[in-house]
mmCIF file of all heavy atoms in Angstrom:
data_model
loop_
_atom_site.group_PDB
_atom_site.id
_atom_site.type_symbol
_atom_site.label_atom_id
_atom_site.label_comp_id
_atom_site.label_asym_id
_atom_site.label_seq_id
_atom_site.Cartn_x
_atom_site.Cartn_y
_atom_site.Cartn_z
ATOM 1 N N GLY X 42 6.622 3.106 0.714
ATOM 2 C CA GLY X 42 7.062 4.149 -0.228
ATOM 3 C C GLY X 42 5.977 5.049 -0.623
ATOM 4 O O GLY X 42 6.219 5.997 -1.486
ATOM 5 N N PHE X 43 4.739 4.893 -0.186
ATOM 6 C CA PHE X 43 3.657 5.746 -0.571
ATOM 7 C C PHE X 43 3.779 7.095 0.123
ATOM 8 O O PHE X 43 4.173 7.113 1.386
ATOM 9 C CB PHE X 43 2.290 5.084 -0.359
ATOM 10 C CG PHE X 43 1.993 3.980 -1.287
ATOM 11 C CD1 PHE X 43 2.253 2.665 -0.969
ATOM 12 C CD2 PHE X 43 1.563 4.273 -2.590
ATOM 13 C CE1 PHE X 43 2.006 1.634 -1.827
ATOM 14 C CE2 PHE X 43 1.285 3.230 -3.469
ATOM 15 C CZ PHE X 43 1.488 1.885 -3.105
ATOM 16 N N LYS X 44 3.406 8.158 -0.430
ATOM 17 C CA LYS X 44 3.581 9.480 0.206
ATOM 18 C C LYS X 44 2.416 9.780 1.173
ATOM 19 O O LYS X 44 1.387 10.297 0.810
ATOM 20 C CB LYS X 44 3.592 10.595 -0.914
ATOM 21 C CG LYS X 44 4.659 10.373 -1.962
ATOM 22 C CD LYS X 44 6.010 10.591 -1.415
ATOM 23 C CE LYS X 44 6.990 10.495 -2.495
ATOM 24 N NZ LYS X 44 8.292 9.967 -2.062
ATOM 25 N N ILE X 45 2.674 9.345 2.388
ATOM 26 C CA ILE X 45 1.688 9.621 3.460
ATOM 27 C C ILE X 45 2.504 10.368 4.480
ATOM 28 O O ILE X 45 3.514 9.840 5.034
ATOM 29 C CB ILE X 45 1.055 8.362 3.990
ATOM 30 C CG1 ILE X 45 0.229 7.776 2.902
ATOM 31 C CG2 ILE X 45 0.244 8.662 5.239
ATOM 32 C CD1 ILE X 45 -0.431 6.450 3.241
ATOM 33 N N ASN X 46 2.000 11.524 4.983
ATOM 34 C CA ASN X 46 2.763 12.257 6.036
ATOM 35 C C ASN X 46 2.011 12.108 7.342
ATOM 36 O O ASN X 46 0.929 11.531 7.474
ATOM 37 C CB ASN X 46 3.028 13.681 5.668
ATOM 38 C CG ASN X 46 1.755 14.460 5.387
ATOM 39 O OD1 ASN X 46 0.743 14.185 6.064
ATOM 40 N ND2 ASN X 46 1.840 15.364 4.463
ATOM 41 N N LYS X 47 2.620 12.714 8.380
ATOM 42 C CA LYS X 47 2.015 12.587 9.727
ATOM 43 C C LYS X 47 0.597 13.267 9.802
ATOM 44 O O LYS X 47 -0.272 12.700 10.428
ATOM 45 C CB LYS X 47 2.914 13.255 10.738
ATOM 46 C CG LYS X 47 2.529 13.099 12.163
ATOM 47 C CD LYS X 47 3.540 13.522 13.179
ATOM 48 C CE LYS X 47 4.013 14.905 13.027
ATOM 49 N NZ LYS X 47 4.886 15.426 14.061
ATOM 50 N N ASP X 48 0.367 14.319 9.113
ATOM 51 C CA ASP X 48 -0.929 15.001 9.031
ATOM 52 C C ASP X 48 -1.994 14.080 8.449
ATOM 53 O O ASP X 48 -3.090 13.974 8.937
ATOM 54 C CB ASP X 48 -0.864 16.321 8.274
ATOM 55 C CG ASP X 48 -0.028 17.359 9.005
ATOM 56 O OD1 ASP X 48 0.094 17.224 10.202
ATOM 57 O OD2 ASP X 48 0.454 18.258 8.314
ATOM 58 N N ASP X 49 -1.673 13.414 7.377
ATOM 59 C CA ASP X 49 -2.601 12.492 6.776
ATOM 60 C C ASP X 49 -2.954 11.343 7.730
ATOM 61 O O ASP X 49 -4.062 10.914 7.900
ATOM 62 C CB ASP X 49 -1.958 11.728 5.490
ATOM 63 C CG ASP X 49 -1.651 12.721 4.328
ATOM 64 O OD1 ASP X 49 -2.443 13.740 4.267
ATOM 65 O OD2 ASP X 49 -0.809 12.484 3.599
ATOM 66 N N CYS X 50 -1.913 10.906 8.471
ATOM 67 C CA CYS X 50 -2.156 9.804 9.432
ATOM 68 C C CYS X 50 -3.055 10.257 10.554
ATOM 69 O O CYS X 50 -4.004 9.595 10.927
ATOM 70 C CB CYS X 50 -0.752 9.326 10.006
ATOM 71 S SG CYS X 50 -0.930 7.914 10.988
ATOM 72 N N LEU X 51 -2.825 11.520 11.055
ATOM 73 C CA LEU X 51 -3.657 11.976 12.153
ATOM 74 C C LEU X 51 -5.063 12.268 11.690
ATOM 75 O O LEU X 51 -5.980 12.182 12.545
ATOM 76 C CB LEU X 51 -3.082 13.247 12.696
ATOM 77 C CG LEU X 51 -1.676 13.012 13.423
ATOM 78 C CD1 LEU X 51 -1.006 14.366 13.782
ATOM 79 C CD2 LEU X 51 -1.792 12.140 14.646
ATOM 80 N N GLU X 52 -5.302 12.690 10.445
ATOM 81 C CA GLU X 52 -6.601 12.884 9.936
ATOM 82 C C GLU X 52 -7.411 11.623 9.692
ATOM 83 O O GLU X 52 -8.683 11.653 9.719
ATOM 84 C CB GLU X 52 -6.540 13.722 8.645
ATOM 85 C CG GLU X 52 -6.112 15.168 8.833
ATOM 86 C CD GLU X 52 -5.965 15.904 7.510
ATOM 87 O OE1 GLU X 52 -6.322 15.335 6.463
ATOM 88 O OE2 GLU X 52 -5.428 16.981 7.457
ATOM 89 N N SER X 53 -6.766 10.489 9.464
ATOM 90 C CA SER X 53 -7.423 9.277 9.241
ATOM 91 C C SER X 53 -8.073 8.779 10.455
ATOM 92 O O SER X 53 -7.495 8.723 11.587
ATOM 93 C CB SER X 53 -6.381 8.281 8.706
ATOM 94 O OG SER X 53 -7.031 6.997 8.521
ATOM 95 N N ALA X 54 -9.344 8.194 10.299
ATOM 96 C CA ALA X 54 -9.954 7.581 11.423
ATOM 97 C C ALA X 54 -9.366 6.286 11.869
ATOM 98 O O ALA X 54 -9.347 5.982 13.004
ATOM 99 C CB ALA X 54 -11.457 7.389 11.064
ATOM 100 N N ASN X 55 -8.867 5.530 10.873
ATOM 101 C CA ASN X 55 -8.076 4.315 11.164
ATOM 102 C C ASN X 55 -7.254 3.925 10.006
ATOM 103 O O ASN X 55 -7.367 4.505 8.889
ATOM 104 C CB ASN X 55 -9.100 3.112 11.449
ATOM 105 C CG ASN X 55 -10.082 2.860 10.321
ATOM 106 O OD1 ASN X 55 -9.692 2.949 9.115
ATOM 107 N ND2 ASN X 55 -11.294 2.578 10.681
ATOM 108 N N CYS X 56 -6.421 2.948 10.198
ATOM 109 C CA CYS X 56 -5.412 2.619 9.120
ATOM 110 C C CYS X 56 -6.133 2.087 7.913
ATOM 111 O O CYS X 56 -5.568 2.146 6.730
ATOM 112 C CB CYS X 56 -4.454 1.569 9.694
ATOM 113 S SG CYS X 56 -3.385 2.147 10.979
ATOM 114 N N LYS X 57 -7.270 1.445 8.059
ATOM 115 C CA LYS X 57 -7.955 0.856 6.871
ATOM 116 C C LYS X 57 -8.256 1.889 5.763
ATOM 117 O O LYS X 57 -8.162 1.612 4.581
ATOM 118 C CB LYS X 57 -9.289 0.266 7.365
ATOM 119 C CG LYS X 57 -10.102 -0.505 6.312
ATOM 120 C CD LYS X 57 -11.348 -1.096 6.922
ATOM 121 C CE LYS X 57 -12.069 -1.736 5.742
ATOM 122 N NZ LYS X 57 -13.323 -2.295 6.208
ATOM 123 N N SER X 58 -8.610 3.099 6.188
ATOM 124 C CA SER X 58 -8.857 4.174 5.283
ATOM 125 C C SER X 58 -7.705 4.514 4.398
ATOM 126 O O SER X 58 -7.738 4.836 3.201
ATOM 127 C CB SER X 58 -9.503 5.378 5.931
ATOM 128 O OG SER X 58 -8.565 5.989 6.749
ATOM 129 N N CYS X 59 -6.424 4.502 5.053
ATOM 130 C CA CYS X 59 -5.215 4.765 4.299
ATOM 131 C C CYS X 59 -4.976 3.675 3.279
ATOM 132 O O CYS X 59 -4.606 3.888 2.126
ATOM 133 C CB CYS X 59 -4.035 4.917 5.166
ATOM 134 S SG CYS X 59 -3.981 6.462 6.073
ATOM 135 N N TRP X 60 -5.098 2.426 3.705
ATOM 136 C CA TRP X 60 -4.954 1.319 2.761
ATOM 137 C C TRP X 60 -5.895 1.371 1.651
ATOM 138 O O TRP X 60 -5.563 1.094 0.488
ATOM 139 C CB TRP X 60 -5.016 -0.055 3.536
ATOM 140 C CG TRP X 60 -3.831 -0.297 4.417
ATOM 141 C CD1 TRP X 60 -3.771 -0.350 5.764
ATOM 142 C CD2 TRP X 60 -2.474 -0.593 3.972
ATOM 143 N NE1 TRP X 60 -2.504 -0.581 6.170
ATOM 144 C CE2 TRP X 60 -1.744 -0.782 5.095
ATOM 145 C CE3 TRP X 60 -1.901 -0.789 2.705
ATOM 146 C CZ2 TRP X 60 -0.371 -1.124 5.029
ATOM 147 C CZ3 TRP X 60 -0.565 -1.090 2.678
ATOM 148 C CH2 TRP X 60 0.229 -1.208 3.748
ATOM 149 N N ASN X 61 -7.178 1.728 1.943
ATOM 150 C CA ASN X 61 -8.193 1.829 0.825
ATOM 151 C C ASN X 61 -7.778 2.903 -0.132
ATOM 152 O O ASN X 61 -8.046 2.782 -1.306
ATOM 153 C CB ASN X 61 -9.604 2.080 1.468
ATOM 154 C CG ASN X 61 -10.105 0.838 2.096
ATOM 155 O OD1 ASN X 61 -9.684 -0.265 1.856
ATOM 156 N ND2 ASN X 61 -11.061 1.036 3.023
ATOM 157 N N GLU X 62 -7.290 4.043 0.372
ATOM 158 C CA GLU X 62 -6.844 5.148 -0.418
ATOM 159 C C GLU X 62 -5.721 4.677 -1.374
ATOM 160 O O GLU X 62 -5.741 5.061 -2.501
ATOM 161 C CB GLU X 62 -6.438 6.314 0.447
ATOM 162 C CG GLU X 62 -6.196 7.576 -0.296
ATOM 163 C CD GLU X 62 -5.876 8.764 0.572
ATOM 164 O OE1 GLU X 62 -6.493 8.867 1.592
ATOM 165 O OE2 GLU X 62 -5.082 9.556 0.179
ATOM 166 N N ILE X 63 -4.797 3.919 -0.887
ATOM 167 C CA ILE X 63 -3.655 3.435 -1.719
ATOM 168 C C ILE X 63 -4.272 2.500 -2.855
ATOM 169 O O ILE X 63 -3.790 2.619 -3.952
ATOM 170 C CB ILE X 63 -2.694 2.647 -0.857
ATOM 171 C CG1 ILE X 63 -2.009 3.573 0.145
ATOM 172 C CG2 ILE X 63 -1.663 1.905 -1.656
ATOM 173 C CD1 ILE X 63 -1.385 4.807 -0.506
ATOM 174 N N LYS X 64 -5.145 1.651 -2.434
ATOM 175 C CA LYS X 64 -5.775 0.798 -3.500
ATOM 176 C C LYS X 64 -6.456 1.650 -4.585
ATOM 177 O O LYS X 64 -6.341 1.351 -5.777
ATOM 178 C CB LYS X 64 -6.646 -0.229 -2.958
ATOM 179 C CG LYS X 64 -6.014 -1.290 -2.118
ATOM 180 C CD LYS X 64 -7.003 -2.269 -1.569
ATOM 181 C CE LYS X 64 -6.200 -3.423 -0.868
ATOM 182 N NZ LYS X 64 -7.195 -4.385 -0.477
ATOM 183 N N GLU X 65 -7.165 2.705 -4.209
ATOM 184 C CA GLU X 65 -7.828 3.564 -5.179
ATOM 185 C C GLU X 65 -6.801 4.285 -6.010
ATOM 186 O O GLU X 65 -6.933 4.427 -7.232
ATOM 187 C CB GLU X 65 -8.707 4.641 -4.433
ATOM 188 C CG GLU X 65 -9.999 4.003 -3.828
ATOM 189 C CD GLU X 65 -10.917 3.419 -4.898
ATOM 190 O OE1 GLU X 65 -11.077 4.032 -6.003
ATOM 191 O OE2 GLU X 65 -11.369 2.264 -4.663
ATOM 192 N N TYR X 66 -5.661 4.693 -5.398
ATOM 193 C CA TYR X 66 -4.616 5.381 -6.159
ATOM 194 C C TYR X 66 -4.004 4.411 -7.138
ATOM 195 O O TYR X 66 -3.790 4.788 -8.290
ATOM 196 C CB TYR X 66 -3.528 5.840 -5.232
ATOM 197 C CG TYR X 66 -2.255 6.231 -5.922
ATOM 198 C CD1 TYR X 66 -2.243 7.402 -6.650
ATOM 199 C CD2 TYR X 66 -1.137 5.433 -5.873
ATOM 200 C CE1 TYR X 66 -1.011 7.762 -7.365
ATOM 201 C CE2 TYR X 66 0.033 5.789 -6.534
ATOM 202 C CZ TYR X 66 0.045 6.919 -7.326
ATOM 203 O OH TYR X 66 1.188 7.207 -8.066
ATOM 204 N N LEU X 67 -3.783 3.158 -6.793
ATOM 205 C CA LEU X 67 -3.263 2.222 -7.772
ATOM 206 C C LEU X 67 -4.183 1.905 -8.930
ATOM 207 O O LEU X 67 -3.811 1.823 -9.975
ATOM 208 C CB LEU X 67 -2.912 0.904 -7.013
ATOM 209 C CG LEU X 67 -1.710 0.973 -6.050
ATOM 210 C CD1 LEU X 67 -1.617 -0.363 -5.298
ATOM 211 C CD2 LEU X 67 -0.457 1.299 -6.741
#
Side-chain angles (χ1 to χ4, degrees):
F43 290 98
K44 304 291 184 211
I45 295 177
N46 61 34
K47 187 169 54 172
D48 292 335
D49 294 333
C50 188
L51 294 174
E52 288 176 10
S53 176
N55 60 38
C56 297
K57 183 179 178 181
S58 62
C59 282
W60 287 109
N61 288 339
E62 190 174 320
I63 293 306
K64 288 182 176 183
E65 288 299 317
Y66 167 73
L67 292 174

